[in-house]
């Protein structure tokens, strides 16, 4: 029996409805899968763009840090050139470079505003940057006030200061931290892309299982694959751009380092040229002065020799002239040693008014009859703690400069006074009580361009051969060594006043050293001593042996400090060793230390022409005699050495 048409129709409708429902369900599932893929892709794009932006931000921070390092290096190089040349334009370049470095630091701080850890580093970097700026500005201020020696010393001292090292270390930390952040961000971006790829594959597999949605899901998968390919291409392009940026940063850093190295080499060459120029200026002036003095010595000795042979009466006068020339040469040597800081100061309590009164004869002889010298003592009896001879030399130099400024005619006034200074009132003087010594003249005065350079070593306005340019620079160094300051008031055509500010000394007065006697009547020893003389220069050895024998002592000579031990062993008796300080093989102090117990109870006298040959501690309390010396000075030094050894022996026995 055939099936009813209604049932067939119902079955067809039912099947159709089922297909429609399945198609709708599959369509809904396909649409859901497609929507899920679209949402996932959008999220992946956003995260990828965010990761790339963070990577770009990290590169920007590293670039800012390297630009700040380069700006600091540029400012330090400009300061070095400014210190070397004292060119004001170079000083302005330094100031501009340091300002640009500050701007780079501000940009770096803004770039790291979102990172609390980096901001803490930036705060410490700002503090180190400010400390470094104060060091460099102090060095620049020395050059601005034409204190070139102080500027050089300050620049070399702060080139590798802790502040600079902290700046470099902190910049390195900022870059290292940002590199770590960049690495983490790159890894996170890669992981995100990998996860997105995995989810897409799962959804594509699920879509393929849907029969009616296979075409749609396949198309979606192809579309997604294409989009992923585009994303991969874009990511690769971003990575390539990042690598290119990194290479550019490294190339710029290498270029900056190369330029800094070239600048350092150029500055070193410039310093060497300036040193050679200064040495040339020094040797020219000193050679002229020494030639004049040697001419006096040699001429006087030759005339004395002729008169001795012919029986003339003027031999004594010529010998005295030769001695005066030799003494002037010795005084110039002491000035050079004091200028080089190799001649130590021997301070004592000095009353300035009394010292100036004792110099009246010396000033009259030096300045001549056409210069009127006036003195005013308003120092209230205040004393200063200075080297008496250096202070006398400073005042004599000022008096000679005043005489030259007055062209041999005028009035020179030397006055003392008292001053209570506050901090910074006069130069670098600390607050307190000061004794003032003012040397005023009625001469031509100084224009501003001369006043700015008046304390520079080797600078002089005198004609060639008339001076070395050491006078005022030596006075400046002496006053600074004595914790004082120097001031100048001058006006062209109205004279000059130079004032020395020296700290008041309130301790107990000490007796000044007696001047060296010109005769031997009071200095001859009561006993004849057994003396060993050690000196490597044969001429000096011969002269020293003759001088000691002239004093009535028995002398054994030794020209090699290494042979001193054997010479001592052969001597039957030994009371005194007279030795040079600087000798080949062993110095005098090293030789004495090496003799050890074999010279117990033997007095030691060191003889030197340069106090910088050994540290004072190396003399171990033994007497020291400076070259050149007179026979009277030698006799007195021998007596002091014997007396010092006797005191040491008594102290050891007690």
């Amino acid at each position: 029996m055939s099936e009813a048409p209604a049932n067939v129709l119902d079955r067809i409708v039912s099947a159709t409805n089922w297909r429609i429902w399945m198609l709708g369900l599959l369509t809904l599932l396909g649409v859901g899968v497609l929507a899920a893929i679209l949402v996932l892709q959008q999220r992946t794009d956003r995260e990828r763009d965010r990761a790339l932006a963070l990577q770009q931000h990290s590169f920007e921070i590293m670039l800012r840090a390297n630009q700040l390092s380069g700006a600091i290096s540029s400012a330090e190089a400009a300061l070095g050139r400014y210190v070397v040349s004292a060119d004001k334009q170079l000083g302005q370049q330094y100031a501009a470079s340091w300002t640009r470095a500050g701007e780079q630091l501000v940009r770096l701080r803004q770039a790291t505003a979102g990172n609390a850890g980096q901001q803490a580093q930036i705060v410490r970097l700002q503090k180190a940057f400010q400390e470094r700026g104060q060091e460099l500005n102090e060095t620049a201020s020395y050059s601005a006030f034409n204190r070139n020696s102080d500027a050089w010393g300050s620049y070399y001292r702060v080139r590798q200061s802790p502040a600079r090292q902290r700046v470099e270390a902190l910049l390195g930390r900022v870059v290292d931290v940002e590199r770590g952040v960049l690495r983490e961000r790159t890894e996170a971006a890669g992981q995100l892309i990998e996860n997105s790829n995995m989810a897409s594959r799962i959804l594509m597999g699920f879509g393929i299982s849907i029969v009616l949605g296979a075409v749609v899901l396949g198309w979606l998968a192809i579309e997604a694959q294409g989009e992923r390919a585009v994303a991969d291409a874009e990511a690769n392009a971003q990575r390539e751009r990042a690598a290119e940026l990194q290479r550019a940063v490294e190339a710029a850093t290498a270029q900056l380092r190369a330029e800094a190295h070239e600048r350092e080499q150029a500055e070193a060459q410039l310093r060497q040229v300036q040193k050679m120029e200064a040495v040339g200026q020094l040797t020219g002036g000193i050679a002229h002065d020494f030639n004049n003095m040697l001419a006096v010595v040699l001429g006087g000795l030759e005339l004395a020799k002729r008169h001795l042979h012919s029986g003339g009466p003027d031999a004594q006068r010529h010998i005295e002239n030769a001695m005066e020339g030799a003494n002037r040469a010795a005084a110039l040597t002491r000035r050079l040693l004091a200028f080089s800081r190799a001649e130590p100061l021997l301070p004592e309590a000095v009353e300035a008014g009394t010292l100036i009164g004792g110099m009246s004869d010396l000033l009259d002889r030096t300045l001549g009859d056409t210069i009127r010298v006036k003195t005013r003592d308003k120092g209230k009896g205040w004393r200063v703690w200075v080297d008496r001879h250096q202070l006398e030399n400073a005042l004599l130099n000022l008096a000679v400069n005043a005489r030259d400024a007055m062209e041999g005619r005028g009035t020179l006034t030397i006055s003392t006074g008292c001053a209570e200074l506050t901090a910074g009132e006069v130069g670098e003087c600390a607050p307190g009580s000061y004794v003032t010594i003012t040397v005023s003249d009625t001469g031509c005065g100084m224009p501003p361009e001369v006043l700015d350079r008046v304390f520079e070593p080797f600078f002089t306005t005198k004609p060639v051969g008339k001076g070395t340019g050491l006078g005022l620079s030596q006075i400046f160094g002496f006053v600074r060594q004595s914790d004082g300051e120097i001031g100048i008031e001058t006006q062209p055509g109205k004279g000059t006043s130079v004032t020395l500010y020296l700290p008041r000394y309130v301790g107990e007065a000490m007796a000044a050293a007696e001047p060296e006697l010109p005769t031997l009547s009071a200095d001859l020893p009561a006993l004849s001593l057994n003396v060993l003389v050690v000196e490597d220069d044969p001429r000096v050895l011969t002269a020293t042996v003759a001088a000691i024998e002239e004093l009535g002592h028995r002398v054994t000579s030794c020209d090699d400090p290494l042979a001193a031990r054997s010479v001592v062993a052969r001597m039957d008796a030994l009371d005194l060793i007279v030795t040079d300080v600087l000798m080949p093989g062993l110095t005098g102090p090293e030789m004495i230390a090496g003799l050890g117990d074999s010279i117990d109870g033997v007095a030691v006298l060191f003889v030197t022409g340069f106090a910088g040959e050994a540290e004072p501690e190396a003399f171990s309390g033994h007497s020291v005699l400076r070259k050149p010396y007179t026979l009277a000075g030698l006799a007195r030094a021998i007596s002091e050495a014997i007396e010092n050894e006797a005191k040491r022996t008594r102290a050891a026995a007690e």
Side-chain angles (χ1 to χ4, degrees):
M1 184 173 150
S2 63
E3 189 175 356
N7 293 334
V8 173
L9 180 62
D10 291 338
R11 192 165 54 250
I12 293 173
V13 170
S14 177
T16 302
N17 291 336
W18 179 80
R19 293 187 184 94
I20 292 172
W21 281 105
M22 288 297 297
L23 180 61
L25 179 61
L26 291 175
T27 302
L28 290 175
L29 290 174
V31 171
V33 171
L34 178 61
I37 292 175
L38 291 176
V39 170
L40 178 63
Q41 187 64 39
Q42 290 176 356
R43 179 175 176 272
T44 301
D45 290 341
R46 287 195 302 269
E47 292 297 327
R48 180 198 61 209
D49 293 339
R50 180 175 176 273
L52 292 176
L54 292 175
Q55 289 176 340
Q56 185 68 28
H57 182 67
S58 295
F59 284 127
E60 180 183 0
I61 292 176
M62 289 188 289
L63 180 61
R64 293 295 184 192
N66 282 288
Q67 287 176 342
L68 175 56
S69 177
I72 292 174
S73 298
S74 177
E76 292 176 348
L79 176 60
R81 293 192 294 272
Y82 179 39
V83 169
V84 170
S85 64
D87 188 344
K88 301 297 184 182
Q89 292 183 351
L90 294 178
Q92 295 173 357
Q93 290 180 9
Y94 153 69
S97 297
W98 192 253
T99 300
R100 287 194 294 273
E103 295 172 353
Q104 293 294 342
L105 178 57
V106 171
R107 296 190 183 99
L108 180 60
R109 182 183 62 199
Q110 294 171 347
T112 58
N115 189 329
Q118 286 286 51
Q119 280 291 290
Q121 295 283 3
I122 296 301
V123 170
R124 290 191 290 271
L125 177 60
Q126 285 179 318
K127 183 177 180 181
F129 180 83
Q130 292 172 354
E131 293 176 358
R132 183 60 175 164
Q134 291 175 356
E135 292 177 347
L136 299 181
N137 289 338
E138 182 180 358
T139 301
S141 65
Y142 284 132
S143 291
F145 290 99
N146 294 318
R147 292 165 51 190
N148 294 333
S149 297
D150 293 338
W152 296 341
S154 176
Y155 179 73
Y156 294 140
R157 185 172 62 254
V158 304
R159 285 185 66 184
Q160 296 295 333
S161 69
R164 178 181 180 181
Q165 295 174 0
R166 286 197 298 274
V167 169
E168 293 176 350
L170 289 169
L171 282 174
R173 291 176 195 166
V174 170
V175 173
D176 292 341
V177 169
E178 204 59 39
R179 283 175 180 163
V181 173
L182 176 62
R183 185 166 53 252
E184 294 174 358
R185 290 170 175 173
T186 301
E187 292 174 357
Q191 186 64 38
L192 177 64
I193 293 174
E194 182 64 26
N195 294 339
S196 175
N197 292 339
M198 179 63 68
S200 296
R201 285 193 294 270
I202 293 173
L203 291 173
M204 287 175 62
F206 180 75
I208 292 173
S209 65
I210 303 173
V211 177
L212 296 178
V215 176
V216 176
L217 294 177
W219 178 82
L220 292 175
I222 294 172
E223 186 70 12
Q225 188 66 29
E227 292 179 356
R228 282 199 301 273
V230 172
D232 290 340
E234 291 179 353
N236 290 333
Q238 289 289 349
R239 285 194 291 271
E240 185 65 28
R241 286 195 293 271
E244 183 178 354
L245 178 61
Q246 180 67 20
R247 289 192 294 270
V249 170
E250 292 175 353
T253 302
Q255 182 179 2
L256 289 174
R257 289 175 179 171
E259 291 177 355
H261 181 66
E262 292 177 358
R263 284 194 297 270
E264 290 178 358
Q265 290 182 333
E267 291 167 2
Q269 293 175 355
L270 179 58
R271 286 194 296 271
Q272 184 64 24
V273 170
Q274 290 179 331
K275 287 179 182 178
M276 296 305 298
E277 181 181 357
V279 169
Q281 294 176 356
L282 172 64
T283 53
I286 297 304
H288 177 272
D289 286 351
F290 265 107
N291 282 335
N292 289 341
M293 297 167 190
L294 290 175
V296 174
V297 174
L298 295 176
L301 292 177
E302 183 176 7
L303 290 173
K305 181 178 179 181
R306 292 172 60 89
H307 280 267
L308 285 174
H309 289 170
S310 63
D314 293 332
Q316 178 68 25
R317 177 170 58 85
H318 294 309
I319 291 175
E320 290 176 353
N321 288 339
M323 287 292 294
E324 182 181 357
N327 288 333
R328 289 178 58 199
L332 179 57
T333 302
R334 285 193 296 273
R335 287 180 59 198
L336 290 172
L337 292 175
F339 173 74
S340 65
R341 302 299 185 269
E343 182 78 6
L345 299 181
L346 302 175
E348 59 181 281
V350 175
E351 201 278 300
T354 304
L355 179 139
I356 294 171
M359 293 179 62
S360 58
D361 292 340
L362 176 62
L363 292 171
D364 290 339
R365 290 197 305 269
T366 302
L367 303 179
D369 296 335
T370 58
I371 299 295
R372 182 186 178 192
V373 179
K374 297 169 61 178
T375 59
R376 298 171 183 168
D377 185 10
K378 298 181 181 179
K380 301 179 183 178
W382 287 9
R383 299 190 303 275
V384 292
W385 185 253
V386 296
D387 186 309
R388 173 184 295 270
H389 299 295
Q390 290 288 350
L391 180 55
E392 290 177 347
N393 186 49
L395 295 177
L396 187 59
N397 271 324
L398 291 175
V400 171
N401 285 346
R403 178 198 63 189
D404 295 342
M406 294 185 291
E407 298 182 351
R409 293 184 179 277
T411 300
L412 175 71
T413 304
I414 305 178
S415 58
T416 63
C418 307
E420 296 288 343
L421 300 182
T422 59
E425 183 176 351
V426 176
E428 299 180 1
C429 281
S433 300
Y434 286 81
V435 174
T436 62
I437 305 175
T438 303
V439 179
S440 303
D441 63 62
T442 57
C444 60
M446 290 182 285
E449 60 271 16
V450 173
L451 181 60
D452 290 341
R453 303 184 59 193
V454 72
F455 293 125
E456 291 183 14
F458 319 121
F459 174 74
T460 178
T461 58
K462 298 178 182 179
V464 176
K466 295 297 185 180
T468 61
L470 289 176
L472 285 176
S473 59
Q474 180 211 7
I475 296 172
F476 180 82
F478 158 68
V479 172
R480 283 296 180 87
Q481 279 184 288
S482 303
D483 297 326
E485 189 58 88
I486 184 170
I488 298 180
E489 295 182 2
T490 184
Q491 188 174 350
K494 295 186 178 181
T496 300
S497 293
V498 180
T499 301
L500 309 183
Y501 295 87
L502 299 172
R504 180 188 180 188
Y505 173 70
V506 295
E508 296 182 0
M510 299 178 62
E514 293 294 331
E516 188 171 285
L517 300 176
T519 63
L520 293 174
S521 59
D523 293 320
L524 286 175
L527 298 175
S528 179
L529 304 174
N530 295 294
V531 182
L532 171 63
V533 178
V534 184
E535 170 62 63
D536 62 296
D537 191 311
R539 292 170 296 182
V540 178
L541 178 62
T542 301
T544 305
V545 169
I548 297 177
E549 288 178 342
E550 182 70 20
L551 295 175
H553 303 297
R554 296 178 294 277
V555 183
T556 300
S557 62
C558 176
D559 60 0
D560 185 359
L562 298 175
R565 180 178 290 276
S566 60
V567 175
V568 170
R570 292 195 302 267
M571 295 182 66
D572 296 330
L574 178 59
D575 302 308
L576 171 67
I577 298 177
V578 179
T579 176
D580 192 14
V581 173
L582 189 62
M583 296 180 290
L586 288 174
T587 66
E590 290 173 345
M591 181 195 71
I592 295 299
L595 292 176
D597 297 338
S598 63
I599 59 170
D600 282 346
V602 176
V604 176
L605 174 61
F606 291 106
V607 182
T608 177
F610 180 35
E613 290 172 346
E615 295 294 333
E617 294 78 6
F619 295 131
S620 302
H622 293 297
S623 300
V624 179
L625 176 63
R626 303 277 182 84
K627 299 176 184 177
Y629 52 81
T630 64
L631 208 55
L634 176 61
R636 185 163 55 254
I638 290 175
S639 299
E640 291 175 355
I642 296 296
E643 182 179 352
N644 288 341
E645 185 58 33
K647 291 179 180 178
R648 290 158 63 97
T649 302
R650 287 195 299 270
E654 294 174 355

